[in-house]
Amino acid sequence: MKVKLHPAFIVYLIFLMFYGQIVPIFFYLISVTIHEFSHSVIARKLGYKLDKMTIMPYGVCLNYETSMFSPYDEILIAISGPLSNFIVCILLLALWWLFPLIYPQTQVFFMCNLVLFVYNLLPCYPLDGGRILCAYLSTKFKKITVKNSRKEIKIDSNENALRAVKLSLEVMSCYYSVLLKGDIESDLGMNSEAEASYHLASRMCPCRFLPLYRLYYLYQKSGRDEEMQSVGSEILSKPMKIPSANVRRIRLNVRQDMARLGNSQ
């Protein structure tokens, strides 16, 4: 098994050492070891062989020779790490009740385990919470796998795709999910719902042009020329904070469409 230190972890250690946080570093490394040892034990019990370990600031990334887990195995492996940190916190609370004098010496150890427990359960990949969410979705929709749900969702119909996106939005609302929801609603002919989704995505990331362009196209498709011209004018006047070929293409398309519309009138 190969053990690798991620550059971000080295920077994190240097930062803590610079501020004299030697004791937190010691307890943090113990907490991370407990966390990842739990992942490894459960994975081996389920028949997976550890290939490489990369130590990150938030924990350790484990790579296995088998890159594809079954959904239920992935849930068990992912939840074992945070659960081990939670158990340590419970044990420390019990020890404090029995031996109050050890509280000052173990408080930092308790906080390290508590932070690892809470942080790793956030529904963001590659954290454990994100892995659990991917695996859970793959059990709900037959044509989603743990692997492709991280990269590309393949579902047999737009209706099921919309259900999947709505389910993910109940867990965590993000710009890309809202934008995808609008695209699916537009394909299904749910124009009013798509319009609301594109407006929401535009408010979530005001500097983005894509939600406005999708809204522009929706108005164009439904023959709402007045709204289309209003959104088109907003796209053309909107400042471009970061130069982008995609934004230039969007503006060119809008400019050409509006010129043709003006000539036809």
Side-chain angles (χ1 to χ4, degrees):
M1 181 187 68
K2 298 178 181 178
V3 179
K4 179 182 176 183
L5 292 178
H6 194 274
F9 179 76
I10 297 174
V11 172
Y12 181 63
L13 286 183
I14 293 173
F15 174 80
L16 291 178
M17 292 176 66
F18 180 78
Y19 283 96
Q21 302 296 317
I22 303 299
V23 173
I25 291 175
F26 174 74
F27 283 128
Y28 172 73
L29 289 175
I30 294 176
S31 303
V32 168
T33 301
I34 293 171
H35 181 104
E36 300 308 330
F37 180 74
S38 301
H39 283 317
S40 179
V41 168
I42 297 301
R44 292 194 179 198
K45 290 286 186 182
L46 295 172
Y48 299 100
K49 187 175 179 182
L50 185 62
D51 182 41
K52 185 174 70 173
M53 177 185 295
T54 305
I55 303 178
M56 307 285 287
Y58 56 81
V60 178
C61 289
L62 302 176
N63 293 335
Y64 294 87
E65 290 184 356
T66 304
S67 59
M68 188 71 173
F69 300 109
S70 71
Y72 294 105
D73 285 352
E74 178 133 16
I75 290 174
L76 289 174
I77 293 170
I79 204 169
S80 62
L83 186 60
S84 67
N85 295 121
F86 179 72
I87 292 173
V88 170
C89 289
I90 296 298
L91 290 175
L92 286 174
L93 286 173
L95 287 173
W96 289 347
W97 186 74
L98 293 172
F99 309 103
L101 293 178
I102 69 171
Y103 173 79
Q105 291 77 27
T106 56
Q107 181 187 10
V108 175
F109 187 42
F110 175 86
M111 290 304 302
C112 288
N113 280 277
L114 182 62
V115 168
L116 282 174
F117 167 70
V118 174
Y119 183 73
N120 276 279
L121 284 182
L122 293 175
C124 307
Y125 188 82
L127 299 179
D128 295 323
R131 294 177 184 274
I132 293 169
L133 176 61
C134 288
Y136 173 74
L137 288 176
S138 70
T139 64
K140 288 294 182 180
F141 304 100
K142 293 182 179 179
K143 293 200 175 183
I144 303 178
T145 66
V146 174
K147 184 177 181 181
N148 67 33
S149 63
R150 299 171 190 156
K151 300 178 181 179
E152 180 183 0
I153 298 177
K154 297 180 179 179
I155 306 179
D156 57 350
S157 69
N158 280 334
E159 288 80 4
N160 283 340
L162 185 60
R163 288 174 55 211
V165 174
K166 285 183 176 179
L167 180 62
S168 69
L169 286 171
E170 289 179 6
V171 178
M172 180 180 64
S173 179
C174 75
Y175 162 79
Y176 294 104
S177 298
V178 173
L179 189 63
L180 176 60
K181 177 173 174 284
D183 291 341
I184 298 171
E185 289 166 342
S186 177
D187 289 341
L188 291 172
M190 303 166 60
N191 291 344
S192 59
E193 291 84 353
E195 182 181 3
S197 295
Y198 290 145
H199 275 301
L200 176 58
S202 179
R203 290 194 298 271
M204 291 175 76
C205 288
C207 62
R208 299 291 183 113
F209 282 77
L210 195 54
L212 291 176
Y213 187 56
R214 299 284 173 81
L215 191 59
Y216 173 86
Y217 179 74
L218 178 69
Y219 289 149
Q220 184 185 58
K221 183 176 67 172
S222 56
R224 297 164 63 179
D225 291 344
E226 187 174 339
E227 290 94 334
M228 184 191 80
Q229 287 182 323
S230 175
V231 175
S233 299
E234 186 177 351
I235 291 173
L236 294 178
S237 61
K238 187 181 180 69
M240 183 169 54
K241 294 186 177 180
I242 301 175
S244 166
N246 288 333
V247 173
R248 294 191 187 96
R249 177 181 54 80
I250 287 173
R251 282 182 164 175
L252 178 61
N253 291 342
V254 170
R255 193 175 292 111
Q256 290 173 346
D257 285 345
M258 295 185 70
R260 282 195 295 269
L261 185 61
N263 291 334
S264 64
Q265 292 177 347

